Amino acid sequence: MGQVLTVTGLRKRFKGIAAVNDLTLRVPANCVYGLIGPNGAGKTTLFSLIGGFLRPDAGVIRLGERDLLQDGLPLGRIGILPQDALFQRNVPILDQLSFFLRLGGAAPAAARAEVMATLETVGLQDLSRRSVATFSHGMIKRLALAQAFLGHPELILLDEPTSGLDPEQTAVVCRLITALKSTATVLVSSHNLDQLQTICDEVAVLNRGRVVAAGPVADFLGAGRRLRLTLNRAVPEELLTALRALPDMLAVTVPSAAGLTLTMSPSAEADRTLGLCLQALLGQGLVPRAIEPAQSLESEVLTLLRQGPGPLPGPGPGAPTAP
Amino acid sequence: MNPLAQVDARRFRLLSWSMFTGTLRSGPGILCLILTLLVGLGTAAVVLEPMDMMLAANERDHLPADQAGVMKTLVQVSTPMVSWLVAGHMNETAGQKLSPAQQADADQWAHYLLQDRPAPLSAVYMILCFSLPFLIALGAFDQVSSDIHAQRLRFLLPRAQRATIFLGRAVGMMLFMALLLAVVMAIIAIYLASNLPLYPLGSVVGWTVRCYLMLVAAAIPAVALCSLISASVGSAFASLALCNAVFCVVPLAPLVIRLASGTTWSSIITWLLPLPFQLQLFHFSLWHVAGAIVGCLAYAAGYLLVGLWIFGRRDL
């Protein structure tokens, strides 16, 4: 089973520039944890520090009780998809991946069998005898994912796992990541926030080497507070006035001719308010053709990042909290 | 935590073997094999050249083509020169006269190399020993540097400790060089024995085996220094250039400084490489040979420890 990953006061500078600056983070066990942030926020550096590729200037990284900087990585228990690492170009991928497993103690035959099974999950089983020299970018990305999944690691670090993948493969990878949750803790970074919103349980927003907000995805979205309705026709003004007068209704706006956006307070009464609203609409012959959340992780993160560096939210026991 | 204590035997074995087989298949490995063979056989041909010239002269003068006689003459002519050469290494201060004991030691050493042992083999193997670092640099310059550059080690780091990767690869490269030397020296021995059937087979094989062990002892620190340099720079080309520069500059710098300024302190520079021990590997006294082997291994250990320290702390 996965273990809690704790990062405390981590710092890393490159030629005087702080890539990671006093970063503190707590990743619960058996969850998919997303790292969000603009380019240069420190996501890849954080992955590299946790993976032991880079040496931090200060700070502590713990996996469970183990101090990764003092005691080293627990070999074979961490799977990593590095962003820019290259495979050997002249060695068949089956041999390369089998070698990784054999380092972990697997017998040659067992290693090859597991590699073939893992390659199958990313759709590369028919290419196992080939080297990466003939692979496309997407195929190399899938191969790198396969190597990260090898050996059933407890902690999996995936740095932009779906960049360069087609939509079908992206969906496959997202399903794989979600399925890993039962056996591992997955830390994943991506610029595709819709994707992270779907697969992540919790996220942390990084900016300028620090965590500016962290918490469950639901907290970021404020679930159910704002809904966008598409109706069969425009809402009359008097009905809009009636809707605005409903208890716990904070705002009613008309973004388009047949559209309606409802903003309700995030109280327990919000569902009742929504019910009353829908009754009123249906009573006037206005039929909702689509109801969708008006909030997204992307919009919330963009709002958060536009607010600028400002004072950090309180880190609480291990990490900053969601806004 | 002591990095050496982290070295895991199974991973070490796998990484060594992977380096060994990988180098066998790689361009630098094949290039190193071909060049070592060319240098070895080229030297053997050069060593045989005076003999061929004398035999041709004998034939022209209608004298008997007596290889043994010609070889005896060549050895007699060469012995004082070899004595001077080996004595020069024992006493590097220019102009200083050797003590009678030192001169006697040098004479006995030259006699041992040219008369007690097959002289052509001694000449070829000693020249090969001193050209070995340059040849080794061609094969061993890229133990980790291009992998650092391509971030390829990032696939290995979650699965093996840095110390295991570094030392495993260094030992794998040493094994490759040992195999390369075995192949090259066997070919040289066969070439010389077939062209110059003057020495008993046992003598040729015995001296080749002993010289093989000496050359392996000389190769180990050279590979270790390449490991250190390869771990220090994240570029294969820079590593190659630096390895060859070190092997070229260190022996030549004292000579140049001495000629330019007349100072003798510059000979200290030669101690950056195990050069003072290399010649001693061919000494007639087994104690000297044992000391030289220990010296070479100590240098190798020193290079590896420094390399390990750098590799263990650098960003990969």
Side-chain angles (χ1 to χ4, degrees):
Chain A
M1 296 295 279
Q3 292 194 63
V4 177
L5 174 73
T6 316
V7 175
T8 312
L10 200 62
R11 289 182 191 186
K12 178 69 180 177
R13 297 176 80 84
F14 294 109
K15 294 177 182 169
I17 297 167
V20 168
N21 189 12
D22 202 18
L23 189 145
T24 295
L25 187 72
R26 186 177 183 278
V27 180
N30 297 101
C31 84
V32 179
Y33 197 97
L35 282 183
I36 301 168
N39 290 331
K43 304 183 296 292
T44 298
T45 306
L46 176 60
F47 275 113
S48 299
L49 289 165
I50 298 170
F53 313 149
L54 304 179
R55 296 296 193 194
D57 300 326
V60 178
I61 304 172
R62 285 184 177 280
L63 180 62
E65 293 301 311
R66 187 185 179 99
D67 185 331
L68 300 189
L69 302 177
Q70 289 291 323
D71 307 330
L73 294 180
L75 298 182
R77 286 167 55 198
I78 297 184
I80 306 179
L81 167 70
Q83 198 177 59
D84 298 318
L86 303 174
F87 284 94
Q88 285 180 280
R89 288 182 65 79
N90 54 354
V91 181
I93 59 171
L94 177 61
D95 294 349
Q96 290 192 55
L97 267 53
S98 299
F99 181 71
F100 295 152
L101 274 179
R102 291 191 62 202
L103 283 173
R112 293 172 96 80
E114 186 179 339
V115 168
M116 287 307 292
T118 311
L119 286 175
E120 199 168 347
T121 62
V122 293
L124 292 176
Q125 70 277 16
D126 296 335
L127 307 174
S128 63
R129 297 281 174 189
R130 284 170 58 179
S131 72
V132 295
T134 55
F135 278 24
S136 68
H137 175 77
M139 289 154 84
I140 292 172
K141 178 66 85 173
R142 280 147 61 195
L143 177 63
L145 271 165
Q147 73 77 33
F149 297 156
L150 282 176
H152 310 290
E154 291 175 29
L155 173 66
I156 301 174
L157 311 176
L158 304 174
D159 196 358
E160 306 207 17
T162 55
S163 69
L165 295 185
D166 60 44
E168 189 184 344
Q169 281 301 324
T170 299
V172 170
V173 168
C174 287
R175 278 201 299 276
L176 281 172
I177 293 171
T178 311
L180 285 169
K181 217 166 41 169
S182 57
T183 55
T185 305
V186 184
L187 190 59
V188 56
S189 82
S190 174
H191 289 295
N192 187 336
L193 301 192
D194 288 341
Q195 204 177 79
L196 288 185
Q197 184 178 331
T198 311
I199 63 174
C200 290
D201 301 297
E202 294 193 25
V203 294
V205 182
L206 269 66
N207 197 17
R208 301 180 188 192
R210 291 177 180 224
V211 175
V212 293
V217 173
D219 287 1
F220 274 84
L221 298 176
R225 286 187 302 176
R226 201 183 308 160
L227 292 173
R228 186 182 297 123
L229 281 70
T230 306
L231 304 162
N232 56 338
R233 59 183 169 85
V235 183
E237 191 57 41
E238 60 272 23
L239 184 55
L240 285 174
T241 309
L243 292 178
R244 286 179 183 127
L246 286 172
D248 291 310
M249 184 64 79
L250 301 178
V252 177
T253 56
V254 183
S256 59
L260 190 67
T261 302
L262 308 173
T263 306
M264 292 157 286
S265 66
S267 67
E269 295 299 309
D271 286 348
R272 187 169 164 271
T273 306
L274 180 60
L276 291 171
C277 180
L278 291 172
Q279 275 179 12
L281 289 168
L282 290 167
Q284 295 274 329
L286 290 154
V287 181
R289 287 178 172 165
I291 303 177
E292 57 193 351
Q295 286 161 303
S296 68
L297 193 57
E298 187 167 356
S299 63
E300 295 304 316
V301 168
L302 284 174
T303 306
L304 194 67
L305 292 174
R306 280 193 199 112
Q307 287 168 359
L312 288 173
T321 52
Chain B
M1 192 174 180
N2 177 11
L4 289 175
Q6 297 175 344
V7 175
D8 171 74
R10 179 172 42 78
R11 291 183 174 92
F12 179 83
R13 203 173 54 244
L14 279 167
L15 285 160
S16 300
W17 185 247
S18 163
M19 187 72 197
F20 175 73
T21 54
T23 311
L24 274 177
R25 290 193 302 256
S26 72
I30 293 165
L31 180 72
C32 185
L33 175 67
I34 291 169
L35 283 178
T36 310
L37 203 53
L38 280 176
V39 168
L41 288 177
T43 310
V46 168
V47 165
L48 288 181
E49 188 66 22
M51 159 85 70
D52 290 341
M53 284 166 67
M54 286 181 76
L55 286 173
N58 282 0
E59 198 178 345
R60 202 171 48 239
D61 300 341
H62 306 289
L63 295 170
D66 177 17
Q67 276 192 329
V70 170
M71 178 52 73
K72 195 175 174 185
T73 309
L74 282 173
V75 165
Q76 280 171 351
V77 170
S78 309
T79 301
M81 192 171 67
V82 172
S83 174
W84 179 84
L85 279 173
V86 294
H89 264 275
M90 289 190 298
N91 179 13
E92 292 190 353
T93 309
Q96 188 178 328
K97 199 169 167 61
L98 293 178
S99 69
Q102 284 175 320
Q103 188 57 58
D105 186 81
D107 291 343
Q108 191 181 349
W109 194 350
H111 187 276
Y112 168 77
L113 289 172
L114 299 178
Q115 296 184 38
D116 293 355
R117 303 288 177 179
L121 285 177
S122 297
V124 173
Y125 293 152
M126 285 179 74
I127 291 169
L128 190 59
C129 183
F130 284 93
S131 54
L132 202 55
F134 298 97
L135 299 166
I136 284 174
L138 294 175
F141 71 94
D142 187 20
Q143 293 174 48
V144 287
S145 51
S146 67
D147 283 352
I148 293 171
H149 181 71
Q151 301 185 354
R152 210 171 284 127
L153 291 172
R154 294 185 172 196
F155 294 129
L156 278 182
L157 287 170
R159 298 170 171 104
Q161 296 286 6
R162 288 181 181 222
T164 314
I165 295 171
F166 177 78
L167 293 176
R169 288 189 168 197
V171 169
M173 185 55 72
M174 288 169 190
L175 290 175
F176 169 78
M177 290 301 166
L179 175 71
L180 179 143
L181 282 172
V183 170
V184 169
M185 291 177 74
I187 292 171
I188 290 170
I190 292 167
Y191 173 78
L192 283 173
S194 60
N195 280 286
L196 201 64
L198 295 176
Y199 302 98
L201 186 63
S203 169
V204 170
V205 172
W207 186 227
T208 297
V209 168
R210 182 164 161 189
C211 286
Y212 167 71
L213 296 175
M214 300 305 108
L215 261 68
V216 167
I220 286 172
V223 173
L225 183 57
C226 290
S227 306
L228 189 166
I229 292 170
S230 181
S232 307
V233 291
S235 152
F237 178 76
S239 176
L240 175 62
L242 205 53
C243 287
N244 273 313
V246 168
F247 288 131
C248 186
V249 169
V250 171
L252 290 181
L255 204 65
V256 173
I257 294 170
R258 196 184 302 160
L259 287 173
S261 64
T263 54
T264 54
W265 60 264
S266 55
S267 60
I268 294 168
I269 296 172
T270 56
W271 287 91
L272 288 171
L273 295 176
L275 294 170
F277 291 113
Q278 278 187 352
L279 193 65
Q280 298 288 325
L281 288 169
F282 293 90
H283 201 273
F284 59 89
S285 158
L286 282 178
W287 286 110
H288 276 253
V289 174
I293 291 173
V294 170
C296 285
L297 294 179
Y299 266 88
Y303 294 144
L304 287 177
L305 285 175
V306 175
L308 191 58
W309 188 86
I310 292 169
F311 189 71
R313 279 158 184 77
R314 68 165 296 157
D315 291 340
L316 299 172

